[in-house]
Amino acid sequence: MTSTLDLTAGPSFDGASSRRLLAHLRDIMAGSGSGQERLDKIVTLIAAEMRADVCSCYVMRAGEVLELFATEGLNKTAVHNTRLRVGEGIVGYIAGHARPLALDNAPSHPSFAYRPETGEDPFLSMAGVPVLRGGKVRGVLVIQHKDRRPYVEEEVESLQTIAMVVAELVAQSELVGASEVSTSGDPVLLPARLSGVAMSPGLAMGLAVIHRPQLTIRQLVAEDAEAELERFNAALVTMHSAIDDLLEAATLAGLGEPRDILETYRMFAEDRGWLSRIREAIRAGLTAEAAVQQVQNDTRARMSHLTDPYIRERLQDFEDLTNRLLQHLAGKTSSADGATQPDDMILVARSMGPAELLDYDRSRLRGLLLEEGTPSSHVCIVARALNIPVVQAADALNRIEALDQLIVDGDHGQVFIRPAEDIQMAFADSVALQHRKEQMYAEIRNLPSVTRDGVPISIQLNCGLLIDLPHLQASGAEGIGLYRTEIPFMVRASYPDVKAQTELYSRIMDEAGEKPIVFRTLDVGGDKMLPYMTGGEEENPALGWRAVRIGLDHPSLLRQQLRALLLAAAGRPLSVMFPMIAEVAELAAARRLLDLELKRQAGQGVEPPSRLRVGTMIEVPSLLWQLPALLPKVDFLSVGSNDLMQYLYAADRGNPRTSTRYDALSPGMLCVMRRLVDECSKHKVPLSLCGEMAGRPLDAMALIGAGFRTLSMAPPSVGPVKTMLRSLDVAALRQYMSGLYLGADHSLRDKLKTFARDHGVLI
């Protein structure tokens, strides 16, 4: 029988045994000898102390090949001759999954691969752990026994601890040459360009500052566990105090309201599970620094295989905390050295947390380049609030040296490394043009959103955090067409109660003043699973248990949110929008829950909203054939063009092979838009669009031509879209588009560009 870790049986290997092994390990590391000699001693020590018949260490070579570097118990002639690809055999399986594995019958595992040159056929049981450094697999450490036996937790944890030592040997190039550890073979002195993902708009030029917060851990094994615990607890106190100071710092005043994110960051710093795992590692014999790093290595390896964007983004927060805690253990307060920060600084990092970004001098920081991250990560949200361009591009750290000249193009997702003089001149021209555009946008901010032939268009904002709300006044938008209520739920460790939600919604309404807000009820599930809500894995999460489906299956959750919205609105107008409605019956069920809350509050004497509007998102195509039944039951509709297009064309918008295969400006999509406009007009139901189409000037022009008069978009899009519509003659556009809807084109984009150019429309 093959099993995973069996922690209830097996030969005794307790904490005392682990500490004794670690003490011997410390002697080996302190002694003389090459990296190979030390590794040979380590596998011999493990085999003896753990009473294993075999202990072997495989090291990752170039091309993701695992080479047997040392063994006690297998044929010595196999050393440096036996090689396995990642994923090949049990050793390759461990490397591929970056997780420990313990088997009481290794040959029965589906990944088992026999290599006769090793002479391992007599050995039945096997336990192995990945050798991790920086979240990357550098090798695999395994033990084997002839007899069938389980492995206790202390054995696996001890192997993980020893694997940290092996990782240091690899990192210090004592086992594998530095050229193999680095994946870069490119010259570092030539100009280069990286293509990536635009995550915060804008242009910036400056000198590269490499953000490498990790400290080199010199001592892994502790001599006094209690003393290490005291050091750890003291560092934790100072770190918490420093984060509190960061929260209250006057420099944050210009961010609008960033406390949602930073308070969440402070909450992560008190995570009991994270802290208890570190303390357990210290009690097992590690120094405080080594314990912090081991827990982070394990966390990163486990979470790096997950596809859920929210969970992966939270990993960055934990890495930020790990680095910050290591700094405090070393007696430092920050990884940012003000003395080495140039006046025009482009920060380059693998990943960052929001607090790490704020360690740097904002007056000098011009741009941010990340190897990992998404536009919804906390550091990107804060960067956008600071108007810092951000690009995510792989392999940046291998291509860039400290103080290299960089250009970050946050509009197109490009980074120019050591740009030639002509590129720098072109950049200067682009910056000048951008400044002129921004000046133009500022000049029209308070002018009416009216087309050249007098058609009024309502421009509204999409928001999801309190830090977005200052843009409502700054942009000149007429209101908030979509407030995503799920983001505050996603940055919490537990479901917020009615009181917390009421306070939040009340603050949002206070900030918005007289301008209208449409609150979308909780839209989670799919790729936005809450950390405290488990729905199980789904093969097609975008088509699965999400949004209003969760709310109707757990009516208490939806009722609590509706109750909080009603309490916050008391005496003020309230607009509630339900997402992911696929049939009129679902809207009716959601409306019944709202009516129950209205009745409940009336019985308690709570003042109702001065005006209550109820609407739904048009995202699921099935509603397009139910419009006659739907429209009499709603006060407004809003098109979620991102999901609607995804479902209309059966094209996963998260899949790079399909996300750009179809165009939003196709005849089919625009026919749907025109039909929605016609049906809503017949029933006198207001219609808006709050997807990405609304924020792209050419797409917005097409929507206006199809009949839309309300568009909701991200704050940076307001200026460009308003500039476009004020130069647009709607009558001419409608006449031109009337002959396009029934065409067989893949896309109408080029034809619409031609119209804009011929008619002087500023897109």
Side-chain angles (χ1 to χ4, degrees):
M1 176 180 111
T2 300
S3 67
T4 54
L5 298 181
D6 184 344
L7 307 178
T8 61
S12 175
F13 187 88
D14 55 16
S17 304
S18 176
R19 287 188 290 273
R20 183 173 63 249
L21 191 156
L22 290 173
H24 290 313
L25 176 65
R26 184 173 62 242
D27 294 338
I28 291 175
M29 295 303 296
S32 60
S34 66
Q36 181 68 59
E37 290 169 340
R38 293 184 190 184
L39 187 59
D40 290 337
K41 291 178 181 179
I42 287 171
V43 296
T44 301
L45 170 67
I46 297 170
E49 290 292 331
M50 303 184 76
R51 298 197 293 277
D53 297 311
V54 172
C55 179
S56 303
C57 183
Y58 293 79
V59 175
M60 188 76 77
R61 302 300 300 260
E64 293 203 321
V65 173
L66 293 153
E67 180 179 311
L68 179 62
F69 254 67
T71 186
E72 177 66 29
L74 297 183
N75 294 337
K76 296 292 186 181
T77 55
V79 173
H80 299 304
N81 290 316
T82 294
R83 294 189 172 194
L84 296 162
R85 296 186 307 276
V86 171
E88 181 184 7
I90 294 174
V91 170
Y93 179 90
I94 293 169
H97 290 77
R99 297 292 303 276
L101 184 66
L103 304 166
D104 60 9
N105 187 1
S108 68
H109 192 276
S111 294
F112 179 79
Y114 175 59
R115 288 301 182 88
E117 73 272 14
T118 64
E120 65 177 340
D121 50 304
F123 308 108
L124 190 61
S125 302
M126 179 179 184
V129 299
V131 176
L132 299 168
R133 193 173 194 275
K136 295 182 179 179
V137 177
R138 303 296 190 188
V140 175
L141 186 63
V142 299
I143 58 174
Q144 293 172 270
H145 289 81
K146 291 180 180 178
D147 300 328
R148 185 169 178 171
R149 49 93 85 191
Y151 292 93
V152 298
E153 187 173 13
E154 286 82 358
E155 290 173 307
V156 177
E157 289 181 348
S158 292
L159 286 175
Q160 288 179 294
T161 301
I162 298 164
M164 293 182 65
V165 179
V166 178
E168 292 304 314
L169 291 178
V170 176
Q172 294 166 16
S173 301
E174 291 192 38
L175 294 174
V176 178
S179 61
E180 287 198 48
V181 174
S182 171
T183 59
S184 173
D186 297 332
V188 296
L189 299 177
L190 299 177
R193 182 175 70 88
L194 292 178
S195 295
V197 178
M199 299 204 293
S200 179
L203 293 166
M205 183 164 68
L207 300 180
V209 171
I210 309 299
H211 177 74
R212 286 196 176 102
Q214 293 87 354
L215 295 174
T216 300
I217 301 174
R218 301 296 181 188
Q219 186 176 350
L220 297 173
V221 183
E223 298 182 6
D224 185 342
E226 289 302 319
E228 291 301 307
L229 281 170
E230 289 181 10
R231 287 183 60 238
F232 171 73
N233 291 331
L236 196 61
V237 170
T238 58
M239 184 183 77
H240 285 166
S241 177
I243 295 173
D244 289 339
D245 292 342
L246 189 63
L247 277 166
E248 301 301 327
T251 54
L252 297 181
L255 289 179
E257 188 56 62
R259 294 186 64 90
D260 274 5
I261 289 174
L262 293 174
E263 285 174 357
T264 302
Y265 180 85
R266 176 65 162 87
M267 180 180 65
F268 285 144
E270 296 176 329
D271 184 84
R272 291 182 180 179
W274 179 60
L275 297 176
S276 65
R277 289 195 298 275
I278 295 173
R279 291 189 175 104
E280 287 171 8
I282 293 173
R283 293 188 184 98
L286 292 181
T287 61
E289 291 88 346
V292 171
Q293 192 61 61
Q294 176 180 293
V295 169
Q296 183 58 19
N297 280 344
D298 181 59
T299 301
R300 179 172 175 78
R302 285 187 291 109
M303 295 174 71
S304 64
H305 293 282
L306 300 177
T307 58
D308 184 276
Y310 176 79
I311 296 177
R312 290 177 64 87
E313 288 157 14
R314 298 301 69 75
L315 173 61
Q316 294 175 12
D317 293 332
F318 275 112
E319 288 197 344
D320 185 339
L321 285 167
T322 294
N323 297 329
R324 190 169 293 270
L325 186 49
L326 288 173
Q327 296 286 345
H328 283 280
L329 282 167
K332 300 180 180 180
T333 58
S334 167
S335 58
D337 183 359
T340 63
Q341 297 180 21
D343 289 338
D344 293 306
M345 173 174 51
I346 304 293
L347 205 54
V348 184
R350 184 173 60 78
S351 63
M352 292 186 81
E356 283 180 303
L357 180 67
L358 296 172
D359 282 336
Y360 289 85
D361 186 345
R362 283 173 50 201
S363 67
R364 303 180 185 183
L365 185 57
R366 301 289 177 260
L368 176 62
L369 172 58
L370 299 172
E371 284 194 334
E372 300 175 1
T374 67
S376 59
S377 64
H378 287 169
V379 69
C380 289
I381 292 172
V382 172
R384 283 195 294 273
L386 292 169
N387 294 318
I388 296 172
V390 183
V391 170
Q392 180 266 319
D395 206 33
L397 289 170
N398 286 329
R399 304 284 293 276
I400 296 171
E401 296 289 314
L403 300 182
D404 273 347
Q405 186 85 27
L406 299 179
I407 294 174
V408 173
D409 181 355
D411 296 322
H412 303 98
Q414 299 183 98
V415 178
F416 296 90
I417 306 168
R418 298 171 293 276
E421 186 174 349
D422 59 335
I423 298 293
Q424 294 188 43
M425 292 176 63
F427 166 80
D429 292 341
S430 296
V431 169
L433 177 61
Q434 184 64 33
H435 287 163
R436 288 196 296 271
K437 285 183 177 180
E438 290 173 356
Q439 184 177 0
M440 180 175 63
Y441 300 154
E443 290 173 354
I444 68 169
R445 181 182 63 190
N446 296 320
L447 296 179
S449 298
V450 178
T451 65
R452 203 168 64 195
D453 55 343
V455 178
I457 307 294
S458 177
I459 294 182
Q460 302 188 2
L461 295 187
N462 297 336
C463 299
L465 284 168
L466 287 169
I467 61 173
D468 296 328
L469 292 178
H471 295 297
L472 186 56
Q473 303 301 329
S475 67
E478 295 180 17
I480 298 175
L482 169 66
Y483 196 94
R484 302 180 178 95
T485 61
E486 63 272 8
I487 296 179
F489 285 75
M490 294 170 69
V491 299
R492 290 174 176 263
S494 59
Y495 189 89
D497 60 19
V498 172
K499 181 175 182 293
Q501 291 186 60
T502 302
E503 291 174 353
L504 173 62
Y505 302 143
S506 182
R507 288 178 66 187
I508 294 167
M509 293 178 184
D510 291 342
E511 290 279 343
E514 297 298 317
K515 294 192 175 184
I517 310 171
V518 174
F519 288 95
R520 183 177 69 185
T521 61
L522 198 58
D523 186 6
V524 294
D527 61 353
K528 295 185 290 187
M529 214 39 156
L530 300 178
Y532 43 85
M533 179 183 292
T534 56
E537 281 196 21
E538 296 182 306
E539 289 190 13
N540 297 296
L543 304 177
W545 194 57
R546 53 173 294 202
V548 78
R549 297 170 181 176
I550 294 177
L552 294 178
D553 288 352
H554 292 282
S556 62
L557 298 182
L558 183 53
R559 285 191 64 174
Q560 286 181 41
Q561 184 177 31
L562 295 172
R563 187 180 310 159
L565 285 166
L566 291 169
L567 288 169
R572 296 186 280 195
L574 174 64
S575 296
V576 176
M577 180 165 63
F578 296 106
M580 197 68 182
I581 295 290
E583 59 181 7
V584 177
E586 286 180 329
L587 174 65
R591 180 63 199 247
R592 281 194 294 271
L593 296 180
L594 178 59
D595 291 339
L596 286 173
E597 286 304 317
L598 283 167
K599 183 177 180 180
R600 179 181 186 276
Q601 293 194 12
Q604 296 177 341
V606 177
E607 184 180 9
S610 60
R611 182 189 179 200
L612 177 62
R613 298 169 69 240
V614 178
T616 183
M617 299 278 289
I618 297 291
E619 300 167 285
V620 184
S622 59
L623 271 188
L624 298 174
W625 285 268
Q626 302 176 65
L627 291 174
L630 173 69
L631 289 168
K633 299 181 182 298
V634 294
D635 300 304
F636 65 93
L637 289 182
S638 185
V639 178
S641 58
N642 302 350
D643 270 337
L644 178 60
M645 184 169 172
Q646 170 176 240
Y647 300 140
L648 195 65
Y649 285 102
D652 181 2
R653 60 189 174 106
N655 184 333
R657 293 185 176 181
T658 58
S659 60
T660 59
R661 188 178 183 90
Y662 304 99
D663 195 336
L665 297 186
S666 62
M669 188 72 170
L670 290 177
C671 278
V672 169
M673 297 302 173
R674 188 175 67 166
R675 180 167 182 262
L676 280 167
V677 169
D678 291 344
E679 290 295 323
C680 287
S681 179
K682 288 179 189 176
H683 290 79
K684 295 182 171 52
V685 173
L687 174 68
S688 66
L689 187 140
C690 58
E692 290 182 8
M693 284 183 73
R696 297 190 291 258
L698 185 68
D699 296 41
M701 183 189 81
L703 290 170
I704 293 170
F708 278 81
R709 297 296 177 260
T710 301
L711 302 174
S712 190
M713 63 201 69
S717 299
V718 172
V721 170
K722 192 171 185 179
T723 298
M724 176 277 298
L725 70 88
R726 287 181 57 83
S727 66
L728 175 66
D729 185 317
V730 177
L733 176 62
R734 287 180 67 87
Q735 182 178 0
Y736 176 77
M737 289 182 62
S738 64
L740 300 179
Y741 292 103
L742 300 181
D745 306 71
H746 167 70
S747 170
L748 300 173
R749 190 168 297 275
D750 288 342
K751 292 180 178 178
L752 290 166
K753 283 181 180 178
T754 300
F755 171 88
R757 184 175 60 250
D758 293 346
H759 291 77
V761 182
L762 302 176
I763 59 169

